Amino acid sequence: MFQLKPGSLAMVIGARTAAGRRNIGKSVELFALCQPGVQFVNPVNGIMTQLPATADRALWLVTGDVYAFDNQLGFAFVRPEHLMPLSPDSAPHMLDELMLN
């Protein structure tokens, strides 16, 4: 099984919010696993960003044709369990399975 790591590709396969559900099925690039309370520069808009220190978990910052909770295009925060890693080796096999279902 492939692991989630910065720079790799993944597919959004789940979401807990209505805003996040529109990203399901999208292919994204993983930027970083963001820990609560840690600041970082958002690679899409260049703005210093921080998950609230009170957040209960780390979230992946992903980039691509996805929307953030506030409707910004190009990035989103996604729970690790809502991402399926992709690789060039797994892509043809996954397409075959999707076409059969």
Side-chain angles (χ1 to χ4, degrees):
M1 179 168 203
F2 300 101
Q3 298 297 315
L4 298 173
K5 61 183 179 179
S8 64
L9 297 178
M11 181 181 293
V12 179
I13 59 169
R16 289 185 46 143
T17 65
R21 283 193 271 285
R22 68 179 165 174
N23 294 328
I24 292 175
K26 302 276 182 91
S27 175
V28 295
E29 183 175 349
L30 304 176
F31 178 73
L33 183 60
C34 302
Q35 301 295 329
V38 175
Q39 291 187 341
F40 57 92
V41 176
N42 183 313
V44 174
N45 62 18
I47 295 174
M48 187 62 73
T49 306
Q50 174 182 343
L51 285 180
T54 56
D56 64 345
R57 65 179 59 226
L59 299 175
W60 277 97
L61 175 62
V62 302
T63 60
D65 184 25
V66 291
Y67 290 90
F69 70 95
D70 59 358
N71 212 30
Q72 291 186 65
L73 177 62
F75 70 94
F77 289 98
V78 182
R79 290 175 174 233
E81 63 267 24
H82 293 159
L83 292 166
M84 180 175 64
L86 299 175
S87 78
D89 297 335
S90 67
H93 174 56
M94 285 182 37
L95 289 175
D96 289 342
E97 282 189 29
L98 289 172
M99 292 174 69
L100 292 175
N101 292 326

